[in-house]
Amino acid sequence: MKIVIVGAGALGSLFGGLLARAGASVWLYNPSNVAHVHAIQHNGLRVERDAELITVAVPATTTTEALADADLVGIFVKAYQTAQAMEQIAPKLNRRSWVLSVQNGVGMEAEILKFVPSERFLRGVTAQGATLLGPGRVRWAGVGPTKLGRWEGPFTSELEDILALFQRAGIETEYSQEIERLLWEKLIINCAINPLTALFDQPNGVIVHDSELREIAGAVACEALRVARAHGVTLTEEEAIARVETVAQKTAQNISSMLQDVRRGRPTEIAYINGAVVREGRRLRIPTPLNLLLTRLIGR
Ligand code: PAF
């Protein structure tokens, strides 16, 4: 199976490296981090996990040539980079390729669907965590389940092959018929953890260790939950809060993706996380003042 990872940063390189190690023909495409691409070309991709170092020989490129005959294209760019990435790859994109996004947030799907038939589009959520340590070096920061679902259409034997490959690669993956619900359940967690850790410049554990932030995070999660109910989420408020707190506890030492962006002076995914809740809340006439406040405070 030929796979092209578009936006091979931390998570994209991790997925690509593991899939290459399992025997897939993988290309890592990243036009904006040339140093990362060069390091992989010269030394392979280095994946560090605790004391273990995995080195994978995997082709890396800054051009779109490899896309033409890809069976699977993984979109791993930041949510706000999706439109630009899709414009870049569209001329080489094959309408037969499966296109998979496990990006954080919601709302970037529309940018992908401008170029990809909805029955070839796979959306996913993942609890895998990765950090870019430097050019060619990724830390496998957290292991957890990945769930994939087809945007439109039934499960097929082609999807069975993709899932089997992910399993062989050590990426615990399941198919879901309810991917939209799962996206919104994950969104609730990101709404509560990401902006607060970013604003207070603290690792995820602060959400449970600081009683005031814990209270605020719970209220943000409940507000997001009211909107998420329109997308199939059936959690109670207590369950939604418990999920936020469990993730914050389990990833207590992690620096959230939003805080990483803020520390590096980069734009954040706020428009696709709390901003998405605000937009959807307005459409549904559900007030979301806390999510609006966090969206305004983070700014971009
Ligand atoms: O965006 C993130 O950082 C992650 O999705 C999460 C779950 C908040 C853990 O850091």
Side-chain angles (χ1 to χ4, degrees):
M1 188 178 303
K2 181 170 179 185
I3 300 174
V4 179
I5 302 290
V6 174
L11 194 63
S13 298
L14 173 68
F15 270 65
L18 294 175
L19 292 166
R21 195 172 62 139
S25 158
V26 176
W27 282 81
L28 300 180
Y29 165 64
N30 190 334
S32 53
N33 193 342
V34 178
H36 184 53
V37 167
H38 282 168
I40 297 168
Q41 285 169 342
H42 290 109
N43 308 315
L45 174 74
R46 292 163 191 238
V47 177
E48 302 181 17
R49 183 179 168 191
D50 303 327
E52 193 187 3
L53 171 66
I54 306 166
T55 302
V56 192
V58 53
T61 178
T62 55
T63 70
T64 54
E65 307 308 317
L67 282 151
D69 56 351
D71 300 298
L72 177 66
V73 177
I75 308 293
F76 282 85
V77 294
K78 291 279 183 184
Y80 56 82
Q81 294 169 328
T82 310
Q84 193 192 6
M86 292 308 297
E87 299 266 345
Q88 277 169 357
I89 67 169
K92 288 282 179 339
L93 203 56
N94 184 334
R95 289 183 74 79
R96 202 188 44 80
S97 306
W98 289 99
V99 175
L100 164 68
S101 153
V102 289
Q103 295 162 286
N104 257 351
V106 303
M108 76 299 284
E109 298 86 4
E111 302 298 342
I112 297 174
L113 290 165
K114 281 184 191 162
F115 302 99
V116 177
S118 57
E119 64 279 5
R120 302 303 284 181
F121 181 40
L122 300 171
R123 192 67 171 97
V125 288
T126 186
Q128 295 282 354
T131 316
L132 203 55
L133 296 173
R137 290 177 55 220
V138 170
R139 180 186 297 127
W140 193 353
V143 178
T146 297
K147 307 230 169 119
L148 306 182
R150 203 172 173 188
W151 203 250
E152 196 186 308
F155 186 71
T156 66
S157 59
E158 277 181 274
L159 296 175
E160 211 165 300
D161 292 345
I162 292 173
L163 291 182
L165 171 64
F166 275 60
Q167 296 290 11
R168 276 204 308 283
I171 304 168
E172 181 202 327
T173 309
E174 270 175 38
Y175 188 79
S176 170
Q177 308 276 10
E178 290 184 290
I179 199 66
E180 191 187 3
R181 172 175 69 76
L182 299 181
L183 284 172
W184 279 84
E185 286 182 1
K186 171 104 190 279
L187 191 72
I188 293 170
I189 293 168
N190 288 126
C191 279
I193 297 179
N194 294 33
L196 291 174
T197 52
L199 288 167
F200 290 87
D201 195 23
Q202 292 289 329
N204 292 351
V206 76
I207 299 299
V208 276
H209 300 139
D210 178 315
S211 62
E212 289 179 352
L213 291 186
R214 187 176 191 160
E215 190 181 335
I216 298 169
V220 172
C222 291
E223 200 181 270
L225 172 66
R226 289 194 272 285
V227 176
R229 288 212 168 102
H231 296 273
V233 177
T234 57
L235 300 174
T236 63
E237 291 196 345
E238 292 70 27
E239 286 166 339
I241 294 170
R243 284 195 183 194
V244 169
E245 293 184 354
T246 304
V247 172
Q249 192 84 62
K250 280 193 177 161
T251 62
Q253 310 301 323
N254 287 14
I255 303 300
S256 74
S257 53
M258 194 169 285
L259 177 52
Q260 290 184 43
D261 288 337
V262 168
R263 284 185 177 172
R264 290 183 185 142
R266 293 192 306 219
T268 72
E269 296 182 308
I270 193 76
Y272 298 85
I273 298 180
N274 305 77
V277 168
V278 173
R279 277 193 305 282
E280 192 56 2
R282 284 188 178 138
R283 192 180 72 80
L284 298 165
R285 297 181 185 280
I286 299 171
T288 57
L290 290 176
N291 281 276
L292 178 58
L293 176 65
L294 292 174
T295 305
R296 292 287 298 266
L297 287 173
I298 293 286
R300 70 179 195 128

